């Protein structure tokens, strides 16, 4: 019985790269997340995925980001960087991860 490695940083890098390549189009972001779901283990990395979609990068205990200001490890396509109005936040909430 072989155990699978737990590599949240590799998962983060893959998700962040895909989100950044999708640009500001939430439709493209949703399509990326949908297609990546067949390759990536969203259940195993659920905490990391949640951190990225809400804060833009992985979070350490206490809530600080683990990205060392490296732009390749963070995305602006998240709730924290969304416009501060009801419609913008609702649009992010409607992006579904299957």
């Amino acid at each position: 019985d072989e155990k699978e490695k737990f590599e949240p940083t590799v998962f983060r890098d893959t998700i962040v790269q895909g989100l950044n390549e999708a640009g500001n189009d939430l439709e493209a972001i949703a399509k990326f997340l949908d297609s990546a779901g067949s390759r990536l283990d969203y259940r195993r990395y659920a905490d990391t995925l949640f951190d990225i979609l809400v804060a833009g990068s992985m979070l350490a205990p206490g809530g600080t980001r683990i990205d060392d200001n490296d732009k390749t490890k963070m995305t602006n396509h998240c709730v924290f960087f969304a416009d501060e109005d009801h419609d913008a936040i609702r649009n992010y909430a409607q992006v579904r991860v299957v």
Side-chain angles (χ1 to χ4, degrees), residues 26-27 29-31 33 53 79 86-98:
L26 288 178
E27 222 22 69
I29 289 172
K31 285 180 184 177
L33 291 172
L53 295 177
V79 173
H86 187 269
D87 290 334
I89 300 299
R90 183 173 20 154
N91 288 338
Y92 274 93
Q94 290 176 346
V95 172
R96 296 190 196 317
V97 178
V98 181

Side-chain angles (χ1 to χ4, degrees), residues 11-61:
F11 177 83
R12 176 210 49 212
D13 294 345
T14 304
I15 294 293
V16 166
Q17 179 183 7
L19 292 177
N20 289 339
E21 288 174 359
N24 291 328
D25 182 13
L26 288 178
E27 222 22 69
I29 289 172
K31 285 180 184 177
F32 162 72
L33 291 172
D34 188 38
S35 66
S38 63
R39 295 183 277 101
L40 303 173
D41 191 353
Y42 283 164
R43 288 180 190 224
R44 179 180 206 138
Y45 299 107
D47 292 338
T48 303
L49 181 62
F50 182 78
D51 290 351
I52 294 167
L53 295 177
V54 173
S57 187
M58 285 175 50
L59 299 177

Side-chain angles (χ1 to χ4, degrees), residues 16 19-20 24 56 65 71 74-82 92:
V16 166
L19 292 177
N20 289 339
N24 291 328
R65 289 193 341 219
K71 300 293 183 193
M74 55 189 279
T75 184
N76 290 335
H77 308 298
C78 63
V79 173
F80 282 8
F81 287 100
Y92 274 93

